[in-house]
Amino acid sequence: MDAQRIKVACSSCNLRELCLPMGLSAEEMGQLDTLISSRKRVKRGEALFSVGDRFTSLYAVRSGFFKTCVTTADGRDQVTGFQMAGEIIGLDGIVSDHHACDAVALEDAEVCVMPFNQVEELSRQFTPLQHHVHRIMSREIVRDHSVMLLLGSMRAEERLAAFLLNLVQRLQARGFSPSEFNLRMTREEIGSYLGMKLETVSRTFSKFVDDGIIDVKQRYVHIKDTEALRRIVNPQTCS
Amino acid sequence: MDAQRIKVACSSCNLRELCLPMGLSAEEMGQLDTLISSRKRVKRGEALFSVGDRFTSLYAVRSGFFKTCVTTADGRDQVTGFQMAGEIIGLDGIVSDHHACDAVALEDAEVCVMPFNQVEELSRQFTPLQHHVHRIMSREIVRDHSVMLLLGSMRAEERLAAFLLNLVQRLQARGFSPSEFNLRMTREEIGSYLGMKLETVSRTFSKFVDDGIIDVKQRYVHIKDTEALRRIVNPQTCS
DNA sequence: CGCGATGTTGAACATCTTCAAACGGTGTGG
DNA sequence: CCACACCGTTTGAAGATGTTCAACATCGCG
């Protein structure tokens, strides 16, 4: 609602190595600078978009943290992902011109607005961008498949271990510590994402603490033994 | 391996209303005829591609039935989807130039091979195709999210009911009966897709039979009460 | 400081899985 | 053509896992 007409350029963004322009050369990146017309701030708890909203743009997270979730007719909902800086939100809306999920900020956030018709237009003129857009969508598909694997064939401890490893790996790619961080989501949201109840999430955290694998204090998590988490996710493979 | 140099044209394909050219005009469709260079036959049980194979092409199912699945390091696997005539396989390979899942034919099948660099080239020249490719990828993402919802927050009966309704809806779109069909996959494959053990799948089928909702004889399924299935998926909403 | 939201823990319970046995259809070889 | 073996399926009973309900603790915010 409060889209801002700020001079914004991918080529000078400190997220450029993680975000849409990832892998593009400096000159190629310059081509993208026309794409981001505005930024938008989203307060904690507010929706960037909701189910049924008309789809117009993709969004790149500049700062803050989002969840996306879908809802059943009878009110149960499922968190389908958590998005942090440099990640793209909104791909669900392309197929029907309307969003198929809610995107909610878990903390005050800012996104770059990329009008999708401009993305498509620029993609036609600019081959590297075209391929990039395809890769981003494909990456989301591959990610979704690995979540299905998690939901379909892992038990609670494996799910939480996989979740923590994934989170820490993404945080590390953004220059944060590979061993400690603060969760931005509640136990309930973690549970929704992992297909378990909040109590089970809490119990599993406690078990990891008892086993000396992590320290937890509310949202703060310190991973003391990353290898142990890896062994939990891959029972056989890791020695 | 046995790609065939057959004269093939989307514009004269009887699947054109379901497949890639869906929604394009007759002239627009003509543009696509250069895209399909060959077809490929895949025998029951054979892989169209496997994890790690170099990605070159997307595939449109012309006949037959496929499953796609991912595998954990320790050998557990998860069926991520079942694909029937008109559906597109291979989008997982774009992101890394290598396939991230296996695609296996559940019955003798034939696919149209669409070299992806040609898809991209044609997409740049031909706006409706570009948008279409985006829509197909977005549709897969939305589908994956609904599977996550199923895996994350439904119980066994709801999962199987949702599965049957989805299957019958897609079969109906292809001109088959909305009430009876033959499953192409085993109980184990259904279970893998739905995140339950084959015994649970079997028991749940038996329960539906006891409740008079369906008839089952091995792979044959007759849906006697579609509304009852809908009520199972949406406990509250349906009266 | 107090309230509401979030997180933890225990005990009873529901659901699904595991293990085991038996059945049924299909295909092969004698 | 039949016997047999094999794969897939069904069903039962015991057990594991996660859920539900409830009580309590803790944190953050006004």
Side-chain angles (χ1 to χ4, degrees):
Chain A
M1 310 307 170
D2 55 352
Q4 300 173 327
R5 295 280 151 185
I6 285 178
K7 259 280 180 286
V8 177
C10 286
S11 54
S12 61
C13 178
N14 57 3
L15 289 169
R16 63 182 178 276
E17 292 306 323
L18 289 162
C19 191
L20 195 84
M22 183 187 72
L24 300 187
S25 71
E27 336 158 38
E28 289 171 336
M29 221 175 290
Q31 302 263 16
L32 259 64
D33 288 348
T34 60
L35 185 62
I36 313 290
S37 57
S38 65
R39 290 196 188 144
K40 187 171 173 179
R41 292 186 179 279
V42 188
K43 283 218 171 62
R44 174 183 165 158
E46 283 182 1
L48 173 59
F49 54 77
S50 302
V51 173
D53 284 359
R54 181 142 213 110
F55 166 75
T56 59
S57 307
L58 299 179
Y59 305 93
V61 180
R62 232 187 97 71
S63 66
F65 208 91
F66 286 83
K67 68 171 177 181
T68 48
C69 49
V70 293
T71 309
T72 55
D74 60 316
R76 285 175 294 183
D77 71 318
Q78 171 74 25
V79 172
T80 55
F82 296 109
Q83 294 82 21
M84 55 179 75
E87 297 179 329
I88 308 295
I89 311 185
L91 300 169
D92 58 279
I94 300 170
V95 61
S96 65
D97 261 351
H98 293 271
H99 284 288
C101 66
D102 299 331
V104 177
L106 297 182
E107 58 184 8
D108 290 0
E110 191 177 18
V111 298
C112 296
V113 181
M114 304 181 286
F116 190 63
N117 54 16
Q118 287 183 45
V119 173
E120 289 193 323
E121 192 181 329
L122 212 54
S123 287
R124 289 193 296 273
Q125 300 158 19
F126 185 40
T127 310
L129 177 63
Q130 178 196 34
H131 193 60
H132 227 74
V133 170
H134 291 156
R135 283 172 38 111
I136 285 167
M137 299 190 78
S138 175
R139 183 194 304 153
E140 173 68 14
I141 290 168
V142 171
R143 188 194 70 82
D144 291 349
H145 289 180
S146 77
V147 176
M148 285 185 215
L149 176 65
L150 180 150
L151 290 171
S153 60
M154 290 185 176
R155 16 240 259 40
E157 292 182 29
E158 298 172 310
R159 293 183 196 194
L160 189 63
F163 171 72
L164 291 174
L165 287 172
N166 173 271
L167 213 54
V168 91
Q169 175 249 311
R170 285 153 68 200
L171 288 168
Q172 193 172 8
R174 283 154 183 82
F176 295 102
S177 163
S179 63
E180 51 183 351
F181 53 91
N182 280 288
L183 296 167
R184 305 303 155 87
M185 66 293 275
T186 65
R187 300 288 187 264
E188 184 165 23
E189 286 160 339
I190 296 172
S192 173
Y193 182 60
L194 299 179
M196 42 206 256
K197 296 291 149 181
L198 69 93
E199 293 95 331
T200 309
V201 174
S202 181
R203 273 182 243 278
T204 309
F205 268 123
S206 299
K207 172 151 195 320
F208 287 173
V209 172
D210 290 348
D211 294 350
I213 299 171
I214 62 176
D215 284 337
V216 177
K217 190 161 194 179
Q218 302 289 120
R219 303 275 177 107
Y220 168 81
V221 176
H222 175 201
I223 298 180
K224 293 157 62 180
D225 188 350
T226 308
E227 275 312 312
L229 287 180
R230 293 219 179 88
R231 280 194 297 273
I232 289 170
V233 176
N234 276 346
Q236 322 293 53
T237 318
C238 298
S239 54
Chain B
M1 313 307 169
D2 56 352
Q4 300 172 328
R5 297 279 153 184
I6 285 178
K7 259 280 182 284
V8 177
C10 286
S11 56
S12 61
C13 177
N14 57 3
L15 288 169
R16 63 182 178 275
E17 291 306 323
L18 289 161
C19 192
L20 195 84
M22 183 188 71
L24 301 187
S25 71
E27 335 155 41
E28 290 170 336
M29 220 175 291
Q31 303 262 17
L32 261 63
D33 289 348
T34 61
L35 185 61
I36 313 290
S37 57
S38 64
R39 289 195 188 145
K40 186 171 172 178
R41 292 185 179 281
V42 188
K43 284 216 169 62
R44 174 184 166 159
E46 284 182 2
L48 173 59
F49 55 77
S50 303
V51 173
D53 284 0
R54 180 144 213 108
F55 166 74
T56 59
S57 306
L58 299 180
Y59 305 94
V61 180
R62 232 187 97 72
S63 65
F65 208 91
F66 285 83
K67 68 170 177 183
T68 49
C69 47
V70 294
T71 309
T72 55
D74 61 316
R76 286 175 293 183
D77 71 315
Q78 172 73 26
V79 172
T80 55
F82 296 108
Q83 295 81 21
M84 57 179 76
E87 298 180 328
I88 308 296
I89 310 184
L91 300 169
D92 57 279
I94 299 169
V95 62
S96 65
D97 262 350
H98 293 271
H99 284 287
C101 66
D102 300 330
V104 176
L106 297 181
E107 58 184 7
D108 290 358
E110 192 176 17
V111 298
C112 296
V113 180
M114 304 180 287
F116 190 62
N117 54 15
Q118 287 184 45
V119 173
E120 289 193 324
E121 190 182 330
L122 212 55
S123 285
R124 289 193 295 274
Q125 300 158 17
F126 185 41
T127 309
L129 177 63
Q130 179 197 33
H131 193 61
H132 227 76
V133 171
H134 291 157
R135 283 170 37 109
I136 285 167
M137 299 190 77
S138 175
R139 183 194 304 151
E140 174 67 15
I141 290 167
V142 171
R143 189 195 68 83
D144 291 348
H145 288 180
S146 78
V147 176
M148 286 184 215
L149 177 64
L150 180 150
L151 290 171
S153 60
M154 290 186 176
R155 10 241 260 44
E157 290 181 31
E158 297 172 310
R159 294 182 194 194
L160 189 62
F163 171 72
L164 291 173
L165 287 172
N166 173 271
L167 213 54
V168 92
Q169 176 249 312
R170 285 153 69 201
L171 287 168
Q172 193 172 8
R174 283 154 184 81
F176 296 102
S177 164
S179 63
E180 51 183 351
F181 55 91
N182 279 289
L183 297 166
R184 305 302 154 87
M185 66 294 275
T186 65
R187 300 288 187 265
E188 185 166 22
E189 286 161 338
I190 296 172
S192 174
Y193 182 61
L194 298 180
M196 41 206 258
K197 297 291 150 183
L198 69 92
E199 294 95 329
T200 310
V201 175
S202 182
R203 272 182 244 276
T204 310
F205 268 124
S206 298
K207 171 149 195 323
F208 287 173
V209 172
D210 290 348
D211 293 351
I213 299 171
I214 61 176
D215 285 336
V216 177
K217 191 162 195 178
Q218 302 287 120
R219 303 276 178 103
Y220 168 84
V221 176
H222 176 199
I223 298 179
K224 292 156 64 179
D225 188 350
T226 307
E227 274 313 311
L229 287 181
R230 293 218 180 89
R231 278 194 299 270
I232 289 170
V233 176
N234 276 347
Q236 323 292 52
T237 318
C238 298
S239 55

